Amino acid sequence: MESTHTRPRLTEIQVAELDLAAPAGPVLSFGPAPDPDGPAVRSGDVYALVRLRGRPVATVVCRVPPGADPAQAVAAAARDRLADLPPEPGPPGDLPRTSVVVATRERASQLARALDSLIAQDHPDFEIVVVDNAPSTDATRDLVQSKYGDLVRYVREPVPGLAVAHNRGVAVADGAVLAFTDDDVVADPHWLSALTAPFAADPGLGCATGLILPALLRTPAQILLESHGGFAKGFAPRDYDPARPPADEPLFPFTAGSFGSGANMAFRASVLRSVGGFDPATGTGTPAKGGDDLYAFVSVLAAGRRLRYTPDALVWHHHRETWQDLRNQAYGYGAGLTAYLTATLARRPALLPALLRALPRGLAHARAITAHRDDPAGAASRSPGEHGAQSHPWPRVLSRLERRGMLAGPLGYARARLRVRGVPLPWDPKADRRREPAEESRRRESAEERSR
């Protein structure tokens, strides 16, 4: 039996926001999940998103001494941190018609919180599609129909699995861009506009991802996950171009986890459909445990399209709260990683030579990551706030679970493929390629020629 000393004793970190350029001076407020009956931000540990004129630019973790002004304490820590700011984005073009797809299963209360934030988006032209995946009750349907009416479209998908549910959303959505998020997020009001603006600016773009920050850091499991990277990919925009592989990523494009995460991603609809969408044998709800988003990222890059990470597109994620949740998550991350690589081999054999060349370095890289987590000195070597929260040693039991998941991922994918055998793709990829507007093709080719 696992001893209790493997579970770190960590205390709550308050999640807050602060805009350094507010007209009346820095004002500190709770993040996306305030306690309406609780006090304002108080002394103690604070994790704060720093904004400049509303734009997210950094996170800081600091301790507010008793009796100190929390806003001034956090502002001082933020100014110390902000030596270099990411460049201001250019003005967006005409934002494309967008469909937001949210797959869910029996989590109506969380879904309502997410939908409330999605309805409040400042994007000028979008729809919301909820895909109810293998429901055992009518709770989700009743919520959508009774509370949201015509504001949200409800679709039922009886086959379990996140990728299957996403593919159902792809089939029914009418947007030129398809955005995906989860039922356990709160989207910043500017999220959808920021996530879809790159598609207007770059006709050769196939995918965009955004910033994911923690909505709460109340439990040891939530704090540990965020301390060791969470889902955030930093505050610097980045482009991934298959024609110009990044020099600092020798395993590109197989390190797909560095591109973004499934809770905050968008695709050009014609591109996603033309590459076959999401592999239905991957994702939560299948024996593969995950990897559906990673497979889609690599599929888009393998098709010659670019991917852009844009930190201005922000969602707040409610991390799982319990130790058992974190154990399951560690195992699932490992399984999803190797399941996605197996899916890439099985469905895109043309990538096999490149994958085989990268495999030894990839396995060494994965072992180095988990070994670094195991080493308390590795945690101590990171400065507070480098990954968004204070550094704490990663329990060895979680690293072992992650490695076990890596070993199980290929078999899990094979089992999942047997389960979904015969499940048809809900659209015709070849037909979608034929429907891609000629004008869009010409613009893309022109932009690619200029970039060369």
Side-chain angles (χ1 to χ4, degrees):
M1 179 179 295
E2 181 185 318
S3 61
T4 57
H5 76 273
T6 61
R7 308 185 189 187
R9 300 180 182 276
L10 306 175
T11 57
E12 177 182 357
I13 299 175
Q14 302 166 89
V15 176
E17 299 184 68
L18 177 138
D19 196 322
L20 284 176
V27 176
L28 191 67
S29 62
F30 271 116
D35 181 355
D37 301 319
V41 179
R42 57 197 183 279
S43 62
D45 290 331
V46 176
Y47 170 106
L49 168 66
V50 182
R51 297 181 186 260
L52 283 178
R53 294 174 292 280
R55 180 181 174 225
V57 294
T59 54
V60 296
V61 178
C62 65
R63 177 158 292 176
V64 177
D69 181 340
Q72 294 302 321
V74 175
R79 292 188 181 101
D80 289 342
R81 181 85 188 278
L82 293 177
D84 297 311
L85 291 178
E88 289 278 354
D94 293 332
L95 296 179
R97 165 74 174 172
T98 300
S99 299
V100 181
V101 177
V102 184
T104 187
R105 187 176 190 273
E106 304 301 348
R107 299 206 294 188
S109 60
Q110 291 191 69
L111 177 64
R113 181 178 60 204
L115 292 178
D116 288 346
S117 71
L118 293 175
I119 288 171
Q121 293 298 299
D122 63 7
H123 191 288
D125 185 15
F126 71 99
E127 65 166 353
I128 302 170
V129 179
V130 167
V131 182
D132 196 1
N133 188 212
S136 56
T137 73
D138 294 330
T140 298
R141 184 193 65 185
D142 292 346
L143 168 73
V144 171
Q145 293 180 350
S146 64
K147 183 175 181 181
Y148 299 101
D150 294 337
L151 296 175
V152 177
R153 294 171 62 189
Y154 172 87
V155 180
R156 185 178 183 273
E157 172 50 62
V159 178
L162 181 59
V164 176
H166 279 167
N167 281 342
R168 177 58 57 190
V170 172
V172 304
D174 65 15
V177 169
L178 307 179
F180 297 85
T181 192
D182 292 345
D183 60 8
D184 54 2
V185 308
V186 173
D188 187 77
H190 190 57
W191 165 69
L192 193 59
S193 294
L195 188 63
T196 57
F199 292 96
D202 180 3
L205 192 73
C207 178
T209 61
L211 177 65
I212 304 174
L213 296 181
L216 295 170
L217 292 172
R218 288 179 177 169
T219 71
Q222 293 173 328
I223 295 169
L224 261 181
L225 178 62
E226 193 61 30
S227 174
H228 288 268
F231 300 98
K233 309 300 178 188
F235 288 85
R238 183 154 190 189
D239 292 304
Y240 295 92
D241 188 342
R244 296 172 180 78
D248 61 341
E249 293 201 16
L251 304 182
F252 178 86
F254 303 111
T255 50
S258 65
F259 305 155
S261 299
N264 191 353
M265 61 183 181
F267 299 84
R268 198 177 298 276
S270 59
V271 173
L272 184 59
R273 294 188 181 115
S274 70
V275 300
F278 300 90
D279 185 333
T282 59
T284 305
T286 72
K289 304 293 184 183
D292 52 309
D293 49 353
L294 309 185
Y295 175 84
F297 297 157
V298 172
S299 296
V300 168
L301 290 166
R305 297 299 190 116
R306 288 182 285 276
L307 183 153
R308 181 171 178 82
Y309 170 70
T310 176
D312 288 348
L314 166 66
V315 300
W316 302 86
H317 182 262
H318 285 77
H319 296 348
R320 302 299 175 85
E321 296 182 359
T322 70
W323 176 252
Q324 186 58 48
D325 287 335
L326 192 57
R327 286 173 55 92
N328 295 342
Q329 206 161 17
Y331 182 88
Y333 283 163
L337 172 63
T338 52
Y340 125 72
L341 291 172
T342 306
T344 300
L345 283 175
R347 298 174 66 92
R348 301 195 174 277
L351 294 177
L352 176 60
L355 181 58
L356 290 178
R357 287 194 299 270
L359 191 57
R361 287 179 295 169
L363 293 175
H365 178 68
R367 288 186 59 84
I369 290 174
T370 54
H372 186 66
R373 284 176 171 175
D374 285 345
D375 182 5
S381 68
R382 293 192 302 271
S383 61
E386 181 180 342
H387 293 295
Q390 291 170 323
S391 296
H392 303 281
W394 185 253
R396 286 184 171 86
V397 64
L398 297 181
S399 292
R400 290 195 295 268
L401 283 168
E402 192 169 0
R403 292 178 187 134
R404 283 171 53 190
M406 290 179 186
L407 294 174
L411 179 59
Y413 176 74
R415 290 171 52 204
R417 282 200 74 169
L418 289 175
R419 289 188 182 186
V420 299
R421 180 179 292 176
V423 176
L425 195 65
W427 69 88
D428 179 359
K430 293 181 180 179
D432 195 83
R433 279 195 293 268
R434 290 193 299 268
R435 285 197 301 267
E436 183 175 346
E439 182 60 29
E440 179 183 329
S441 298
R442 285 194 295 270
R443 287 200 309 269
R444 183 178 72 251
E445 292 167 1
S446 175
E448 290 173 349
E449 182 64 30
R450 288 195 302 272
S451 69
R452 295 191 187 101

